[in-house]
Amino acid sequence: MSTDPWVWIASIGTIGVLSGILWKDNVLFRTVEHVFVGLSSAYYVFTAYRNLVNLGWAPLKEGKIILVIPMLLGLSLYTRFTKRYAYLSRWGMGFLIGVGSGLAMFASINAQLLPQIRANMLQLTSLNNIILVLGVLSIIVYFFFSVEQKGAVKHVSKIGRYMMMLTFGVSFGNVVQGRISLLLGVLESLLGKWLGLMS
Amino acid sequence: MTLWRRDIPLLITFLTGIIYVLNNVGTISIGSTTLGELVQDLNVWVLIVAAFAMGVASVNLLRLHGEKVQRRREGWGYSLVLIATMLGYMLIGALGTTYQIPFFADLTNLVYTNVQSPLGATMWAMVGFFICSSAYRAFRARNVEGTIMLVAGILVMLGNAPIGESIWGGFPVLSKWLLDIPNTAGQRAIMIGAAIGAFTTALRTVTGIDRRYMGTIE
C-alpha cells in the first residue's frame, strides 16, 4: 500500500466519484464533485489571466495603445452585472460572435462541406463505393424537408435512417470502449499505485 | 439609445465577421495594412476578450454559490467547499507562477496531477456508465432502427476487444468494414448537413438577421 499522501488523496477522490455511480448520491461524491468544479474553474480562470497579462497588459504597458480596444470590449462584458449598463455587454459579445461567425463561414464550407463532397465523388465500381455514395445521398434525402416524404423519397429516406442508425451504433461502440479503457486506467491506478495489488 | 443598444453591437459583429470572410477570399489591403495582418491582430484581441469572458463566468459561479452560502440554502456546505477550492487554487497558482515561489509552484503541479487530473479522468470514465444505462433503454431491439444500432454497436465492440477475435476471427474484419464504409457514409452526410447549418447560422448572425446573442437586455 502506498505511503505517499498525494496518492491517497487521488485515490479517495477517485473512490468518491465512483461512489456516486456504484452506490448513490452521497456526501463524499458531492464534496469531490464540488472540489473538481472549483479546481477546474480556478485552472481556466488562471490560464485566462495569464493570456490577459501576456497578450494584453504587458504589450499595452510597452506602448501598444491599440490593445485598449480589446481590453474595453472585454470589460464591457462585466456591465452584465449592472441593470443600467447591461446593454454594453453586447459590444464585447458582438465581437466574439462576429469572429466566431466569420471563421465558421469559411471553415464550414472550405474545411467541411467541399472536402466531404469531393471525397464522395467516387466511381461506382465496387460495392463499398456504392454504399458510400448511396449512403450519403439517402441520409441527405432524409433531411430534405422541402419535398413531402412519400413514394420513392420515402423509401430512400428510410434507407438513410437505417444508415444513420448504423453510424450511431458504431459511434456508440467506440465511445463505450474509449470510456472503458479510461476506467481501466483509473482502476489500475487504484489497485496498483494505491493498494499495490498490481505490479 | 437604439444606436448604443442595438446598432453598434450589430456593426461590431458585421465588421469582424466580414473581415474574417474577406481575408479568406484573397489578399486585400487597407492602406499599408493587409487584411491578413489585421486578422492576426484580431486573433490576439479574441484571446484577450475571451479571457475577460472567462472572468465573467467565474464571477457568475462565485455569485451563485456565494448567495447559496449567505442564505444557508440546502447544500450550502458544498458551495463553500467549491468557493474555498476555487479561490485557494487561484491563490496558490498566482503565488507559484506569477510570483515564482517554488513551494507554491510545486503545490500547483501536485494538486493538478493528483487531484484535478485523476478526478477529471474518473468523471469521463463515469460517463461510460451513463451511456450504458441510456443505451439499455434506447437499444432494445423493439424496431428495425433499434436493432441496427444494437447489432452495429455490439459488432464494433466485439471487433475491438480481444475476446471478439477469440470467439470468431471475422469480428475485427467486420468491425473495420463497419467503421470504414457505412460509418464513413453516415459521418460524411452528418458533416455535410452540419456544415450547411453552420454556414447558414453564421451568415444570419453576421448580417444581423439572427440576434439571439444580444439576449433580452433592454
Side-chain angles (χ1 to χ4, degrees), chain A residues 30-73:
Chain A
R30 293 203 68 189
T31 309
V32 168
E33 189 186 26
H34 282 76
V35 165
F36 180 64
V37 175
L39 288 180
S40 302
S41 320
Y43 179 79
Y44 291 118
V45 168
F46 197 71
T47 312
Y49 168 74
R50 270 202 303 208
N51 270 347
L52 190 63
V53 171
N54 295 337
L55 301 169
W57 189 244
L60 186 69
K61 277 203 298 186
E62 286 164 15
K64 212 172 172 188
I65 301 296
I66 192 84
L67 289 175
V68 167
I69 301 173
M71 291 284 202
L72 288 176
L73 285 173

Side-chain angles (χ1 to χ4, degrees), chain A residues 68-198:
Chain A
V68 167
I69 301 173
M71 291 284 202
L72 288 176
L73 285 173
L75 282 172
S76 77
L77 295 170
Y78 289 84
T79 57
R80 193 165 270 271
F81 297 116
T82 66
K83 259 189 181 168
R84 195 168 173 193
Y85 299 106
Y87 65 90
L88 284 173
S89 67
R90 292 170 173 179
W91 294 25
M93 192 50 79
F95 174 75
L96 288 175
I97 296 287
V99 172
S101 303
L103 283 169
M105 271 169 86
F106 183 74
S108 59
I109 299 294
N110 209 42
Q112 259 188 296
L113 184 66
L114 295 179
Q116 292 305 327
I117 291 175
R118 212 175 289 137
N120 216 45
M121 296 286 180
L122 299 163
Q123 286 192 330
L124 302 176
T125 49
S126 67
L127 180 67
N128 284 350
N129 284 2
I130 293 170
I131 293 173
L132 276 168
V133 172
L134 294 183
V136 171
L137 288 176
S138 60
I139 295 174
I140 289 173
V141 168
Y142 176 75
F143 284 110
F144 194 64
F145 300 120
S146 303
V147 220
E148 199 181 337
Q149 305 251 329
K150 63 179 183 185
V153 178
K154 188 182 170 188
H155 293 298
V156 176
S157 80
K158 199 171 193 178
I159 295 170
R161 204 161 66 222
Y162 293 157
M163 284 297 290
M164 273 195 299
M165 292 304 139
L166 217 119
T167 309
F168 295 149
V170 171
S171 301
F172 170 78
N174 275 328
V175 170
V176 166
Q177 283 202 312
R179 296 300 157 90
I180 286 174
S181 67
L182 211 57
L183 184 68
L184 288 177
V186 168
L187 292 177
E188 205 179 332
S189 170
L190 280 180
L191 298 173
K193 265 170 86 178
W194 186 41
L195 296 175
L197 297 174
M198 287 168 75

Side-chain angles (χ1 to χ4, degrees), chain A residues 10 17 21 46 48 78 90-91 94-95 97-98 106 116 120 128 161 165-167 169 171-172 174 177 179 182, chain B residues 4-5 13 17 24 52 55 97 114 124 126-127 131 145 149 153 157 160 177 179 182 186 188 205 214 217:
Chain A
V17 175
I21 290 298
F46 197 71
Y78 289 84
R90 292 170 173 179
W91 294 25
F95 174 75
I97 296 287
F106 183 74
Q116 292 305 327
N120 216 45
N128 284 350
R161 204 161 66 222
M165 292 304 139
L166 217 119
T167 309
S171 301
F172 170 78
N174 275 328
Q177 283 202 312
R179 296 300 157 90
L182 211 57
Chain B
W4 299 92
R5 287 171 186 266
T13 309
N24 290 302
F52 277 104
T97 28
N114 294 297
W124 275 102
M126 210 178 75
V127 179
I131 295 172
E145 285 88 344
M149 264 173 80
M157 284 193 267
N160 289 341
W177 180 82
L179 269 167
R188 195 166 274 169
T205 309
M214 295 213 284
I217 310 158

Side-chain angles (χ1 to χ4, degrees), chain A residues 32-50 78, chain B residues 50-65 78-94 108 111-112 115-117 119-120 123:
Chain A
V32 168
E33 189 186 26
H34 282 76
V35 165
F36 180 64
V37 175
L39 288 180
S40 302
S41 320
Y43 179 79
Y44 291 118
V45 168
F46 197 71
T47 312
Y49 168 74
R50 270 202 303 208
Y78 289 84
Chain B
F52 277 104
M54 184 55 79
V56 174
S58 69
V59 170
N60 243 336
L61 191 71
L62 286 173
R63 261 170 45 128
L64 189 87
H65 285 276
Y78 300 118
S79 296
L80 195 64
V81 169
L82 189 147
I83 294 169
T85 324
M86 190 176 166
L87 296 179
Y89 197 39
M90 274 162 71
L91 182 71
I92 293 168
T108 311
V111 171
Y112 182 82
V115 187
Q116 199 186 342
S117 182
L119 288 187
M123 289 276 182

Side-chain angles (χ1 to χ4, degrees), chain A residues 3-15:
Chain A
T3 50
D4 184 349
W6 286 105
V7 172
W8 276 80
I9 291 171
S11 305
I12 291 167
T14 306
I15 289 172

